[in-house]
Amino acid sequence: MVSGSQSHPAGLCLPPARRTATESLEQDTTKVSEGKVKNCVTTIRDTQNSQDLFNVTIQLPGGDNIEIQVSPKELLQEIIQVLMEHEDSCHRTCFSLQFDGIVLDNFSELKSVEGLREGSVLKVVEEAYTIREARIHIRHFRDLLKSLDLTDAYNGVDCSSLSFLSSISEGDIGDSSSYENNGKKKKQRSSAEQGLDAIDCSPPDYILPGSMERPLQPLQPVCIDYKPTECLKSLIMSGWNPPPGNRKMHGDLLYLTVVTMEDHHINITSSNRGFYINQSTAEVFNPKPATPSHLSHSIVELLNQVSPVFKKNFSNLQKKRVHRHPLERIATPYQIYSWIAPSSNHIIDCVRAEDAYNSRLGYEEHIPGQTRDWNEELQTTRELPRQLSTDELLQRRANFKINSDFVGAATRGAMAVIDGNVMAINPGEETKMQMFIWNNIFFSFGFDVREHYKDLGGDHAAHVAATHDLKGVQAYCDLDIEELYVLGTVVLDYRGYRVTAQSIIPGILDRKEDQSVVYGSIDFGKTVSSNVKYLALLQKACKPLRILKHTVLNEKDEEVLLCSSVECKGIVGNDGRHYILDLLRTFPPDVNFLPLKEEDILKDCQELGFPKSYRHRLCCLRPELIESFVQYKCAQVMKVVGSKSQSGELLQADNSGDESQKDDLQDAALVREACGEIGSATDSVFDLQFNADVYSPGVRFPASQTQAIQIQKRLLSEAAAFILNVQIPGFIKACLNHVIVPLDGKTLKEALHSYGINMRYLGTLAEMIDKMQAGPSLDHLYRIVIIEMVTRAAKTILRSYLQGIEMSALSAAVSHFLNCFLSSYPNPVAHLPPDELLSRKRKNKKKMRPLENGDCTAWASMTPTDLWKQIRKNAKDSFDFTLSSDSVEQLVEKFTLQKVTLFREFCIKTGVQVLLREYNFESRHKPTLTEEDILNMFPVVKHINIKAKEGHELFAKAQMSVQQGGLKEGVVLLNEALVQFNSVYGAVHPDIAMCLRLLARAKFILGDLAEALDNQQKAVIMTERTLGYDSSSTVQDYVLLSHYCFASGQLSVALKLLYRARYLMLVLAGEDHPSMATLDSNIGVVLQAVLECDLSLRFLEKALEVNKKYFGEKSLDVALSHHLIALAYTSKVEFRSAMQHEKETFTIYKAVLGDCHEHTTESSTFLKHVTQQAVNLQRTMNEIYKNGSISTLPRVQIVPPGIDTLLQQLNLLNGVLQISVGIKEQKSKEKPIQKQNSTDLGEEQLEQGGFISEEQKSSTEKIKDVIKGQSEGEQQKEGSEDQPKEATAEKDRAEDLPKGDHAEQDGVKSQITDASEKKGDAEKQNKDVVETQNVDDGQPKECEEPKNEAQQKNGSSEEATENVDTQDGAKKQIEVTEEKDRARDNESD
């Protein structure tokens, strides 16, 4: 017998069925194909052996057959998962698979089944129910009914999350190019034909450039017209449960009460044979079968017989479910919460009620053994064998699965603890000292309960110690040292409390703490012990973690050797394992925030105002900074050795003898001396390590360590100065050069952490930006920094604010806080619950008591003035930044911020969920929010991340291969990486989205557009569901998907995706952001394709404005914007405006690239063409008014840019195809700048035509319309024959790039580069960029030589072109225009 909802402790078996699906459903729900997506641990199919696949037939009860494709390495359970997802068999759970009359083991591989071959028939046999199987069946039936319901995603349960791609695109993007919405095959049309169709491309008003409206309703578009399909009115457990003894003897398991859509109340008996309707009512118990009796093996079959509405609606529901993208249905590994949600009706749900009951008791009934021994599971999975590659995959998958399960259980438990649903193990003590055990997980609060942190900052230190401990757990988990174990650890912030959840060491609760610890100290160094076994294990971590092996003194003045900080405790559990915990000082301290003497701080730091006072003394350096600092010091060692070696050679040049031996001794001496000067841990090699106990209060060192301690103090001072002098300026420079372009607080935090910069340096970062006087180029960064400091300060205040609030007043208190924080209403008044005063008089309450004060109504007296005083104080204390704003209005006005952005950032940081509606923050007549607007509060969860190491290694190799031009090899590596990621993470994970994004890009360049669309669509859905539907990564993925849709001719879909991306950008960062320029340029290009030139110009001109601000008037980004605008004006037959903008493009190219650069010459050619057309137009109009005939004049040529040309522009804009720029020729700088004779001559001719009279102006538009109409008609007639050959050649080259590792074709050398390594690439961080360098063999030698000379003089071309290496779109358009001109001229001749 089998159930698809089994779940076992070690994580080696299948989780509940509602959390699984197969990727094969994307193609055909009846097939199991390669690359199957699983949420369970299975052996991995060798993708190279596709010839091993064969087909088997599944025979269902009733005679229906399903044919599926399988592999010998698959498990039987995978076939069962497919059957439970298939439309015809999804309602079955309790069955077995039989082959030739033999029941098969569900967890055996197909190759172990004797006689199973191509065409074999597996029979589905219904099995008898047990109580557990009946409950699983009911749960699965409920999941099918709610398969399209978003309630779980809004409520943040069952790892459900939101994705709106299908709503935005109005269907499956992969099929929309071939099928209409009704499913019928539609006629394929060329992109040119589609571009001329009447496509509704008008965006909503709030999308248009310059709009100040920031609505919130469009965040979740599915909510507008969403109407769920109802199959039943209610399904609940009957009050007659459990069955009496005599009915159990008849096979009764449980009773259900169902109300159908026809309003029929029926009572159903679940027996071991199936389900049938009994004769019971709400008042009378009669378990006998009703007449007529219907015994069915599933509830669905039974209800189909008694309710026609159910039969119809359930069938429609399953069809919709099957047609949804599988990735929208699969559970995410970790829960994602939405900060905003619509109002929803709370309906009866028996499964939800049962889950809540089980959750309160601390166990899950569908798991064998009831409660899970989390520690045993976590440690057992680490001990699984890893000799074979398949074994290692199983181990990593099991480890990841158990950790994700543990995070989910810890989150539920922590919420139960805070909500008062768990009894403390020490109920007699003060509330903040209480500890809890729930579901074999230990919970404690982040307070200084026994004054452990009295000298380190009290509660502030205890609060931050939890996250430092988590970082230490992550560090040791990554090392994966054999026989050294860490605890499962999760840190949560919920309702103002910080809770640490840990797995329990076996036996630790039976011993006193001082008896358990065999290594380390329990009192911050006063008493210290060591252990030989622990020293041997921890020494393995010293080198990778840069931890210095050192000696301290214990209470008896005895020397004790340690390989960690003194706070690190070693405990041997009853299971014999060696555990380490309290890893809060794994990394060395940051002396910039310690109260030290002046001699311990470098002058560079003192000049910047350091050391600064801080709320606690547990500030540590980040591991990223330590690695950067070690590399920095290594470079210093090399420099010292090199300088000393040169001077030594000069002094001993005349020596003779055994020179090689002398050289070796001399080199060794130089290295020893240099390492000594730098502070290396050893003299022979450079090995920088840190002593984390140097500044720990209470830790004493022996006299013999005095010199070593001084060296350590100097190293820490240098590391602190390294942050201020190197890392922060380097980060600002990267932002100035647009290598890093943060969009919101999360991306800013990630970027700072990648540089090893802690968030407490935000104030220093803001001050440095001010002092740099970089002009408006860093306005976007400065705004995000201000928003981050303000929202973090408000979050800290809310934390203490919430701790004194009862549950009954929670929504009122949070809404009042938000009104004081963001609303313009001057005097918001808090509304106390009616029984507030009564509740304060209650005594002996067992639930969470206020931890800060006893006055539960103190929150109601807060005013906006009080709150903003606290925010300014907190910003000064936390970031040493003086915030001069006394209110939100002053803040918004001074820094040009958006209240909606502040609103979003605050809710995400605090876990507050608000109602989806439009909020008027500017109203001065009533408060913005009411207590009804606060829907929920979610925990903010921090946990360790288990990585698929082999997958990341393959991904890095793939990136390198793609960068070197080996696209096909890169695709192979990416597919292998995907297999690894799927094997470890399951179907949905941000790393998989990252891999799919690069794979889509490579496929697009190789010309496989269908694969590119499919992979990018998966990446978008995965990013929305794992990172958030409004995250910065989602914006990026939407833009790339629109790019591929445009290339496939889906112009309408491309526009919808771009409008969605722009809307999200407006909410995240506003319109004044450098990334918005790229986005607006994309929209402008696509609008040109549908001949909406006026609308296109609005977006393109806004992009030009933003580019000028952030990139400079003479940057290549501005040149590209001018060129795109010139193309739009050309399509509008406004040649004068086109000429002006193209002249700007030519001027920039000439100044930056030089006269001989191909883009300069191409821009000049296009400028000549536009100028000539302007002259022809003027002559034509003059001739009309003179003679009334234009037969003798040259025809005005109107050639709107083609789809291929516009696609090339998109390639440049989005970093798919980037043309590198050379250094401006040295000789061209020396030559006087000559006038563009032809250009100026044409402009003079145009001016000589005289001013146009009003009468002429009125008829000019008519002439343009006639000319434009003739041109469009000819273009439609000529079709593909009129396409320029050069443009076609360029397209072919782009599709065929490149065939090998270093392919060169048609004089085009293609090289794929990663945009994160491109210092001058403005808008392409975290993208993989295709860089195509066009080498023209026909260039004159005199133009090539200066370029080589300049390159030699300037050294690295990458550094020389740092500020000018960006998108350039002139070449493709010029080729199109030139060929069009030649074609037209030949036709007229």
Side-chain angles (χ1 to χ4, degrees):
M1 183 173 63
V2 61
S3 168
S5 297
Q6 297 182 39
S7 180
H8 295 279
L12 297 177
C13 300
L14 288 168
R18 65 180 184 275
R19 302 191 179 192
T20 62
T22 57
E23 191 178 273
S24 57
L25 293 171
E26 299 171 36
Q27 305 298 330
D28 188 342
T29 55
T30 64
K31 295 183 180 180
V32 181
S33 58
E34 276 191 46
K36 182 177 295 182
V37 178
K38 312 174 196 64
N39 227 8
C40 57
V41 179
T42 59
T43 53
I44 308 306
R45 175 187 304 166
D46 183 3
T47 57
Q48 304 301 321
N49 296 331
S50 59
Q51 63 271 17
D52 294 338
L53 299 176
F54 60 95
N55 295 320
V56 297
T57 301
I58 308 296
Q59 184 178 355
L60 301 176
D64 294 335
N65 293 334
I66 299 175
E67 185 176 334
I68 63 175
Q69 191 179 58
V70 295
S71 165
K73 293 185 178 181
E74 289 183 1
L75 300 181
L76 264 298
Q77 186 67 54
E78 297 177 48
I79 298 179
I80 292 172
Q81 291 303 311
V82 174
L83 294 177
M84 295 182 67
E85 288 289 337
H86 193 275
E87 182 180 353
D88 295 333
S89 57
C90 62
H91 57 277
R92 302 182 184 278
T93 60
C94 189
F95 60 88
S96 63
L97 288 177
Q98 295 185 6
F99 178 62
D100 290 341
I102 301 174
V103 177
L104 303 179
D105 180 9
N106 301 315
F107 298 101
S108 62
E109 294 182 348
L110 294 182
K111 63 182 180 182
S112 65
V113 180
E114 294 184 4
L116 190 65
R117 61 179 63 88
E118 177 75 25
S120 296
V121 177
L122 298 178
K123 188 176 182 181
V124 174
V125 178
E126 297 172 344
E127 298 286 351
Y129 282 100
T130 63
I131 293 181
R132 179 174 180 274
E133 295 295 337
R135 290 185 180 275
I136 289 174
H137 183 82
I138 295 169
R139 178 179 295 271
H140 181 66
F141 173 59
R142 175 258 195 182
D143 291 339
L144 292 177
L145 293 179
K146 296 187 64 177
S147 56
L148 299 181
D149 192 1
L150 300 178
T151 303
D152 286 348
Y154 291 126
N155 293 334
V157 296
D158 289 342
C159 288
S160 301
S161 57
L162 299 166
S163 173
F164 298 108
L165 176 62
S166 59
S167 300
I168 299 299
S169 62
E170 299 179 357
D172 188 357
I173 293 174
D175 296 336
S176 60
S177 60
S178 301
Y179 293 89
E180 301 284 4
N181 292 333
N182 59 11
K184 295 181 180 179
K185 188 89 172 180
K186 71 175 182 181
K187 181 183 176 182
Q188 292 291 326
R189 298 172 295 176
S190 68
S191 57
E193 290 174 340
Q194 236 183 353
L196 294 174
D197 283 347
I199 296 176
D200 182 15
C201 53
S202 300
D205 291 340
Y206 57 83
I207 298 291
L208 293 173
S211 173
M212 301 304 295
E213 185 183 1
R214 299 289 183 267
L216 291 175
Q217 288 279 5
L219 267 178
Q220 299 176 3
V222 74
C223 306
I224 300 174
D225 299 319
Y226 175 69
K227 294 182 180 179
T229 303
E230 294 186 10
C231 300
L232 295 173
K233 286 190 175 181
S234 73
L235 168 68
I236 60 174
M237 291 290 180
S238 173
W240 299 114
N241 283 309
N246 64 320
R247 293 309 304 174
K248 288 184 180 179
M249 304 297 290
H250 287 78
D252 290 4
L253 302 175
L254 50 86
Y255 304 118
L256 301 171
T257 299
V258 173
V259 180
T260 66
M261 297 303 297
E262 296 89 349
D263 206 24
H264 294 160
H265 293 249
I266 58 176
N267 287 271
I268 297 177
T269 298
S270 172
S271 69
N272 61 341
R273 294 185 301 158
F275 297 85
Y276 62 86
I277 299 174
N278 59 47
Q279 300 181 27
S280 297
T281 64
E283 295 83 14
V284 179
F285 176 67
N286 186 353
K288 294 182 180 179
T291 305
S293 61
H294 301 287
L295 177 63
S296 304
H297 197 263
S298 74
I299 299 180
V300 173
E301 294 174 344
L302 177 63
L303 293 176
N304 280 342
Q305 299 179 56
V306 298
S307 174
V309 176
F310 173 85
K311 183 176 183 180
K312 176 184 176 182
N313 289 354
F314 186 80
S315 176
N316 293 336
L317 180 67
Q318 297 317 305
K319 289 178 181 178
K320 292 179 181 178
R321 180 185 67 87
V322 170
H323 282 88
R324 285 180 66 195
H325 198 287
L327 294 180
E328 295 181 15
R329 309 198 303 265
I330 301 172
T332 57
Y334 302 106
Q335 184 65 58
I336 303 297
Y337 302 101
S338 174
W339 67 274
I340 193 167
S343 60
S344 59
N345 296 325
H346 194 61
I347 61 175
I348 294 177
D349 189 334
C350 62
V351 175
R352 183 188 64 227
E354 183 182 21
D355 286 346
Y357 176 75
N358 291 338
S359 175
R360 186 168 61 84
L361 294 182
Y363 68 88
E364 299 174 60
E365 190 172 287
H366 61 278
I367 294 176
Q370 309 306 323
T371 57
R372 300 175 67 169
D373 188 344
W374 291 106
N375 187 74
E376 183 63 24
E377 292 185 34
L378 288 167
Q379 313 310 337
T380 301
T381 53
R382 289 193 59 233
E383 297 169 345
L384 290 175
R386 311 183 195 181
Q387 287 78 9
L388 302 177
S389 59
T390 53
D391 292 340
E392 189 166 3
L393 278 177
L394 283 169
Q395 188 274 332
R396 294 198 182 281
R397 173 57 183 157
N399 197 14
F400 178 81
K401 183 68 173 64
I402 286 301
N403 272 277
S404 62
D405 287 351
F406 177 74
V407 171
T411 302
R412 294 192 299 273
M415 294 175 68
V417 166
I418 299 300
D419 291 337
N421 291 335
V422 180
M423 175 68 73
I425 59 177
N426 53 341
E429 299 194 35
E430 186 183 353
T431 305
K432 64 170 62 177
M433 298 180 65
Q434 290 180 351
M435 296 170 286
F436 306 82
I437 293 180
W438 179 91
N439 198 6
N440 282 333
I441 304 174
F442 177 79
F443 298 91
S444 59
F445 291 118
F447 297 107
D448 187 15
V449 292
R450 292 185 175 85
E451 296 188 347
H452 280 297
Y453 301 97
K454 181 180 180 181
D455 299 330
L456 300 174
D459 285 344
H460 291 299
H463 184 85
V464 77
T467 53
H468 286 354
D469 180 41
L470 184 65
K471 293 175 185 175
V473 172
Q474 178 75 67
Y476 281 97
C477 274
D478 291 341
L479 294 180
D480 200 13
I481 299 173
E482 190 175 355
E483 296 185 14
L484 186 64
Y485 299 89
V486 294
L487 301 180
T489 305
V490 178
V491 178
L492 305 97
D493 293 303
Y494 177 60
R495 284 182 48 200
Y497 302 108
R498 169 154 287 185
V499 180
T500 301
Q502 294 174 305
S503 60
I504 302 173
I505 299 176
I508 192 173
L509 298 177
D510 302 329
R511 296 176 282 179
K512 294 183 178 180
E513 188 176 16
D514 54 353
Q515 297 174 346
S516 302
V517 177
V518 298
Y519 175 88
S521 173
I522 62 173
D523 49 14
F524 292 94
K526 295 178 182 178
T527 58
V528 189
S529 56
S530 188
N531 181 278
V532 176
K533 178 67 173 179
Y534 271 102
L535 287 175
L537 293 174
L538 289 171
Q539 192 168 359
K540 299 177 182 178
C542 286
K543 188 171 183 179
L545 294 182
R546 308 289 179 184
I547 297 174
L548 182 66
K549 189 176 180 181
H550 59 282
T551 305
V552 299
L553 296 176
N554 62 9
E555 73 280 5
K556 300 178 182 179
D557 291 337
E558 299 173 344
E559 294 188 1
V560 179
L561 186 63
L562 296 176
C563 291
S564 65
S565 65
V566 293
E567 288 89 351
C568 175
K569 301 174 182 59
I571 298 178
V572 180
N574 288 352
D575 54 2
R577 297 187 178 106
H578 290 75
Y579 296 90
I580 55 172
L581 59 156
D582 289 349
L583 306 175
L584 62 151
R585 286 192 186 270
T586 301
F587 302 106
D590 184 355
V591 298
N592 280 334
F593 294 91
L594 291 179
L596 304 179
K597 300 177 182 179
E598 289 188 2
E599 56 267 21
D600 292 334
I601 300 295
L602 298 181
K603 290 184 179 180
D604 292 345
C605 298
Q606 294 181 24
E607 292 174 357
L608 293 172
F610 290 91
K612 295 181 178 180
S613 60
Y614 203 64
R615 294 174 297 179
H616 58 80
R617 299 181 60 182
L618 289 181
C619 297
C620 296
L621 301 176
R622 293 193 61 83
E624 298 93 341
L625 180 99
I626 293 173
E627 290 305 315
S628 299
F629 179 68
V630 169
Q631 294 176 9
Y632 175 76
K633 299 298 287 185
C634 181
Q636 285 189 346
V637 169
M638 300 296 294
K639 186 176 180 180
V640 170
V641 171
S643 61
K644 289 181 179 294
S645 177
Q646 291 179 2
S647 60
E649 288 175 2
L650 293 175
L651 293 174
Q652 302 183 13
D654 297 333
N655 293 346
S656 58
D658 191 351
E659 294 183 359
S660 61
Q661 183 176 1
K662 289 182 179 180
D663 289 343
D664 292 341
L665 294 174
Q666 182 181 1
D667 292 343
L670 290 175
V671 171
R672 191 178 301 109
E673 183 180 355
C675 290
E677 291 181 8
I678 296 298
S680 175
T682 59
D683 293 337
S684 56
V685 295
F686 175 77
D687 185 15
L688 212 58
Q689 296 179 356
F690 298 88
N691 183 349
D693 292 328
V694 170
Y695 289 106
S696 298
V699 178
R700 299 177 299 140
F701 299 95
S704 59
Q705 297 288 318
T706 303
Q707 184 179 358
I709 295 301
Q710 291 301 319
I711 292 176
Q712 282 294 307
K713 289 183 176 180
R714 190 193 74 195
L715 273 178
L716 291 177
S717 298
E718 291 177 354
F722 178 71
I723 300 177
L724 301 173
N725 298 331
V726 179
Q727 294 301 90
I728 295 181
F731 174 81
I732 295 175
K733 184 179 179 182
C735 293
L736 193 60
N737 293 330
H738 304 284
V739 177
I740 295 176
V741 189
L743 283 178
D744 58 359
K746 182 180 179 182
T747 49
L748 174 67
K749 181 185 73 172
E750 292 171 351
L752 285 171
H753 286 175
S754 68
Y755 275 71
I757 304 170
N758 300 86
M759 299 305 286
R760 58 179 171 270
Y761 284 98
L762 281 176
T764 305
L765 176 62
E767 291 177 0
M768 287 189 177
I769 294 174
D770 273 339
K771 293 178 182 179
M772 283 188 66
Q773 297 180 350
S777 299
L778 291 176
D779 281 356
H780 67 293
L781 175 63
Y782 195 74
R783 280 195 301 270
I784 297 173
V785 171
I786 295 297
I787 291 173
E788 192 68 7
M789 286 192 289
V790 170
T791 51
R792 283 176 175 264
K795 179 188 72 172
T796 303
I797 297 167
L798 180 71
R799 184 192 309 145
S800 58
Y801 174 88
L802 290 177
Q803 289 171 2
I805 297 175
E806 288 188 342
M807 278 290 288
S808 59
L810 195 58
S811 60
V814 173
S815 63
H816 179 64
F817 186 93
L818 280 168
N819 283 328
C820 294
F821 180 42
L822 294 175
S823 177
S824 297
Y825 184 64
N827 300 308
V829 178
H831 298 282
L832 297 176
D835 60 340
E836 184 73 25
L837 296 177
L838 293 176
S839 66
R840 290 174 55 197
K841 296 179 181 179
R842 297 173 188 162
K843 296 182 180 181
N844 302 323
K845 294 189 301 180
K846 297 301 182 181
K847 291 191 176 183
M848 291 295 302
R849 298 192 294 270
L851 303 187
E852 294 297 320
N853 52 65
D855 187 2
C856 299
T857 60
W859 58 271
S861 61
M862 174 178 281
T863 65
T865 303
D866 296 336
L867 176 59
W868 279 93
K869 283 182 180 178
Q870 294 182 54
I871 289 176
R872 292 200 309 274
K873 183 179 182 301
N874 194 279
K876 184 66 176 177
D877 295 341
S878 300
F879 309 107
D880 193 31
F881 183 80
T882 302
L883 197 65
S884 58
S885 303
D886 295 328
S887 65
V888 67
E889 285 80 14
Q890 293 182 16
L891 182 80
V892 169
E893 182 179 359
K894 182 176 181 179
F895 300 105
T896 61
L897 307 181
Q898 296 184 142
K899 287 188 178 182
V900 67
T901 303
L902 286 166
F903 191 36
R904 173 184 176 271
E905 289 284 350
F906 176 82
C907 290
I908 290 175
K909 285 180 172 59
T910 57
V912 174
Q913 186 186 62
V914 297
L915 178 66
L916 178 65
R917 70 173 181 88
E918 306 306 336
Y919 294 92
N920 183 10
F921 292 104
E922 308 304 325
S923 174
R924 303 187 65 85
H925 303 291
K926 64 177 182 179
T928 303
L929 292 96
T930 67
E931 57 183 290
E932 299 300 324
D933 292 322
I934 308 302
L935 296 183
N936 209 339
M937 286 201 73
F938 294 122
V940 178
V941 185
K942 300 179 178 68
H943 55 82
I944 65 171
N945 292 309
I946 306 297
K947 295 291 184 182
K949 294 182 179 179
E950 292 78 6
H952 280 282
E953 291 173 0
L954 287 168
F955 181 78
K957 291 179 181 178
Q959 276 187 315
M960 185 67 67
S961 177
V962 170
Q963 289 169 12
Q964 295 175 353
L967 284 173
K968 291 187 176 180
E969 181 184 353
V971 167
V972 172
L973 290 170
L974 285 171
N975 283 322
E976 293 178 3
L978 273 178
V979 172
Q980 293 284 335
F981 285 146
N982 280 322
S983 303
V984 175
Y985 300 139
V988 180
H989 194 274
D991 288 350
I992 301 177
M994 171 187 67
C995 193
L996 287 169
R997 188 179 303 122
L998 179 57
L999 182 60
R1001 188 183 294 265
K1003 289 286 189 180
F1004 177 75
I1005 299 167
L1006 288 172
D1008 193 346
L1009 190 53
E1011 282 291 319
L1013 267 175
D1014 183 52
N1015 288 319
Q1016 187 60 32
Q1017 182 183 11
K1018 294 176 186 176
V1020 172
I1021 296 173
M1022 216 169 289
T1023 302
E1024 282 188 309
R1025 299 200 58 220
T1026 58
L1027 300 179
Y1029 56 85
D1030 58 349
S1031 67
S1032 58
S1033 298
T1034 302
V1035 176
Q1036 172 190 339
D1037 281 338
Y1038 265 105
V1039 173
L1040 289 175
L1041 183 58
S1042 73
H1043 186 157
Y1044 304 148
C1045 286
F1046 181 88
S1048 66
Q1050 303 177 59
L1051 305 185
S1052 178
V1053 176
L1055 271 176
K1056 292 174 184 176
L1057 297 174
L1058 286 173
Y1059 289 156
R1060 173 68 173 179
R1062 193 177 204 275
Y1063 168 71
L1064 294 178
M1065 271 287 299
L1066 289 173
V1067 175
L1068 264 65
E1071 206 167 43
D1072 186 19
H1073 193 280
S1075 294
M1076 188 62 83
T1078 303
L1079 195 47
D1080 284 347
S1081 297
N1082 273 268
I1083 296 174
V1085 169
V1086 178
L1087 285 172
Q1088 284 191 54
V1090 294
L1091 301 181
E1092 288 285 346
C1093 297
D1094 290 329
L1095 192 56
S1096 172
L1097 282 171
R1098 294 187 64 176
F1099 288 97
L1100 292 176
E1101 287 169 354
K1102 184 63 180 179
L1104 175 62
E1105 175 189 334
V1106 176
N1107 276 332
K1108 284 182 177 179
K1109 176 178 179 178
Y1110 288 103
F1111 296 94
E1113 294 279 349
K1114 300 301 180 183
S1115 67
L1116 296 185
D1117 296 84
V1118 172
L1120 179 58
S1121 288
H1122 278 299
H1123 179 65
L1124 293 176
I1125 294 175
L1127 290 178
Y1129 275 122
T1130 303
S1131 300
K1132 289 186 65 181
V1133 203
E1134 296 183 14
F1135 295 112
R1136 181 189 293 269
S1137 298
M1139 183 179 64
Q1140 292 173 352
H1141 283 282
E1142 190 60 34
K1143 187 174 181 180
E1144 291 290 338
T1145 300
F1146 173 78
T1147 303
I1148 295 173
Y1149 283 163
K1150 183 177 180 181
V1152 176
L1153 307 177
D1155 290 330
C1156 294
H1157 196 280
E1158 57 184 346
H1159 305 317
T1160 308
T1161 58
E1162 290 165 355
S1163 178
S1164 176
T1165 305
F1166 182 70
L1167 183 56
K1168 292 175 185 177
H1169 166 75
V1170 174
T1171 305
Q1172 186 62 46
Q1173 296 306 308
V1175 172
N1176 291 345
L1177 178 60
Q1178 184 63 46
R1179 288 178 177 176
T1180 300
M1181 290 190 297
N1182 292 341
E1183 186 68 20
I1184 288 175
Y1185 287 103
K1186 278 186 179 182
N1187 304 323
S1189 172
I1190 57 173
S1191 58
T1192 60
L1193 294 177
R1195 185 177 55 183
V1196 178
Q1197 299 175 10
I1198 312 299
V1199 185
I1203 295 295
D1204 294 335
T1205 302
L1206 296 176
L1207 179 59
Q1208 294 301 329
Q1209 305 298 328
L1210 288 180
N1211 289 342
L1212 296 169
L1213 285 168
N1214 298 327
V1216 177
L1217 179 67
Q1218 181 184 1
I1219 301 177
S1220 67
V1221 296
I1223 307 172
K1224 180 185 176 183
E1225 294 84 0
Q1226 191 70 22
K1227 291 184 179 180
S1228 66
K1229 294 181 180 179
E1230 300 172 0
K1231 296 180 180 180
I1233 300 177
Q1234 301 177 357
K1235 292 184 179 181
Q1236 307 93 2
N1237 295 330
S1238 60
T1239 303
D1240 291 343
L1241 177 61
E1243 191 170 2
E1244 289 172 6
Q1245 292 175 348
L1246 184 60
E1247 296 297 334
Q1248 288 172 3
F1251 294 101
I1252 303 176
S1253 66
E1254 292 299 327
E1255 184 180 0
Q1256 287 176 323
K1257 287 182 180 179
S1258 63
S1259 60
T1260 298
E1261 296 300 326
K1262 298 180 181 178
I1263 297 173
K1264 291 179 181 179
D1265 293 340
V1266 172
I1267 296 174
K1268 186 175 180 180
Q1270 291 175 350
S1271 175
E1272 291 177 357
E1274 291 176 3
Q1275 188 182 25
Q1276 288 181 346
K1277 290 179 182 179
E1278 292 169 4
S1280 59
E1281 295 178 359
D1282 197 34
Q1283 295 296 322
K1285 297 178 181 179
E1286 293 178 5
T1288 305
E1290 286 297 329
K1291 180 184 177 184
D1292 294 340
R1293 275 182 269 170
E1295 291 178 349
D1296 295 334
L1297 289 182
K1299 299 297 184 183
D1301 291 341
H1302 302 284
E1304 294 187 10
Q1305 260 187 356
D1306 300 327
V1308 180
K1309 179 181 179 182
S1310 298
Q1311 181 183 10
I1312 313 303
T1313 61
D1314 191 284
S1316 62
E1317 298 174 2
K1318 298 292 294 176
K1319 297 184 178 179
D1321 188 3
E1323 300 302 328
K1324 304 174 185 65
Q1325 72 174 63
N1326 299 329
K1327 298 179 182 178
D1328 309 287
V1329 181
V1330 180
E1331 182 180 5
T1332 304
Q1333 182 177 1
N1334 294 320
V1335 182
D1336 191 350
D1337 296 332
Q1339 286 286 343
K1341 293 184 178 179
E1342 58 267 24
C1343 288
E1344 293 178 358
E1345 291 173 358
K1347 185 183 293 187
N1348 295 333
E1349 243 181 282
Q1351 289 175 350
Q1352 292 174 1
K1353 290 180 181 179
N1354 287 277
S1356 172
S1357 63
E1358 184 180 0
E1359 295 178 3
T1361 61
E1362 183 173 354
N1363 295 321
V1364 298
D1365 187 8
T1366 185
Q1367 306 102 328
D1368 178 11
K1371 180 186 175 190
K1372 309 301 178 187
Q1373 180 58 32
I1374 293 170
E1375 291 173 346
V1376 174
T1377 307
E1378 287 180 330
E1379 187 60 29
K1380 286 285 187 182
D1381 292 346
R1382 286 193 290 270
R1384 300 289 186 185
D1385 293 341
N1386 292 336
E1387 183 181 353
S1388 62
D1389 292 342

